[in-house]
Amino acid sequence: MRAWVSIACAACISCAQAAPIDDALGIVFDQSATLEKAREEMREIGRQSRFKGRVYVGYALAETYDAAAGANAGIYVEIPLFSRKRELDTARARLALAKQEEALKKAFLADVSSIRELEDKRREAQEMAAFYKDRLTYFDQAVKEGRIEADTLWEDAEKAKKAEHDAVQGTGKVRAKLEQIARRYGGHRWTELQDLLAGMLKPAKSSTQ
């Protein structure tokens, strides 16, 4: 029983981790004009009749001397026993839709990957800035105590300043890229998509926390 619970919990964690990107793709597919056109073509095919029949109406006088028989009328319906045209059209439309969905998904995930690369660089620059600040604090105390010369601080000060500049620049690049991609794929729901993407960039919490 415990093993089953562990497996179930692991599956739930996996689903929870995959949810943001799935939700983002849901918005992308929902707002795509190209996919909507393909879906409308499928709906139009679905509204068509499954067969094309012809109806004939006939009217004639009965060839009899019995006046009570009078005139007679008949209806003749001609329906093909089997037609694959509709099925083939549906299959083609479904295949075209699947290809367009796959192409859109591939393009979107590539853009998401580019945002993550920018975020990784920004975070690295931020960490380096914090590292050099700590070094400067340590060496500044060493200078005050006379253990090292003040000139040794310049190199670390320059590196800290550059890392801080890179971090600030990186933040601007990530924000700009987020909005660009959200507007490109999100349509009327671009702000919702932007929030999802921003949430995906946040570092995952450790399971030990």
Side-chain angles (χ1 to χ4, degrees):
M1 180 66 178
R2 290 181 180 178
W4 182 86
V5 172
S6 299
I7 294 173
C9 291
C12 291
I13 293 173
S14 177
C15 291
Q17 292 174 343
I21 190 63
D22 291 339
D23 291 341
L25 281 169
I27 293 175
V28 172
F29 286 172
D30 177 67
Q31 293 296 306
S32 171
T34 301
L35 294 187
E36 179 56 30
K37 181 179 179 181
R39 287 190 289 263
E40 179 56 32
E41 290 179 357
M42 285 194 62
R43 288 193 290 267
E44 181 59 30
I45 293 172
R47 286 191 287 265
Q48 296 174 5
S49 174
R50 289 184 175 273
F51 60 83
K52 292 183 179 180
R54 287 180 290 182
V55 178
Y56 302 91
V57 178
Y59 178 86
L61 291 175
E63 296 181 358
T64 176
Y65 291 104
D66 186 359
N72 63 78
I75 297 176
Y76 172 68
V77 181
E78 180 181 315
I79 301 175
L81 293 178
F82 183 70
S83 174
R84 295 191 59 198
K85 184 179 185 306
R86 182 176 181 276
E87 286 76 9
L88 291 174
D89 288 344
T90 300
R92 292 190 188 98
R94 186 177 293 113
L95 179 60
L97 176 60
K99 288 182 177 179
Q100 290 170 357
E101 286 179 342
E102 185 61 27
L104 182 59
K105 178 181 178 180
K106 184 177 180 180
F108 176 69
L109 292 181
D111 281 337
V112 171
S113 179
S114 69
I115 298 178
R116 285 174 170 161
E117 290 177 2
L118 288 176
E119 173 61 14
D120 288 343
K121 292 179 180 178
R122 184 205 66 80
R123 192 172 295 143
E124 181 181 357
Q126 190 177 48
E127 292 173 354
M128 291 303 296
F131 170 75
Y132 284 116
K133 279 185 177 180
D134 290 341
R135 279 173 60 93
L136 282 171
T137 300
Y138 172 79
F139 286 128
D140 182 60
Q141 183 62 32
V143 169
K144 291 178 180 178
E145 294 174 359
R147 291 184 286 113
I148 61 174
E149 297 294 331
D151 292 345
T152 59
L153 298 178
W154 288 110
E155 184 177 355
D156 282 345
E158 290 179 355
K159 289 180 178 179
K161 185 175 181 180
K162 182 181 183 305
E164 286 179 352
H165 178 267
D166 291 344
V168 171
Q169 291 289 320
T171 299
K173 290 179 180 179
V174 170
R175 288 177 178 173
K177 191 71 172 178
L178 273 174
E179 182 174 345
Q180 178 188 32
I181 292 176
R183 286 182 180 274
R184 179 186 303 166
Y185 294 99
H188 297 299
R189 300 174 64 187
W190 75 268
T191 54
E192 184 181 351
L193 179 58
Q194 185 180 38
D195 291 341
L196 280 171
L197 293 174
M200 289 162 53
L201 294 180
K202 294 179 181 179
K205 293 183 179 180
S206 173
S207 59
T208 57
Q209 293 180 350

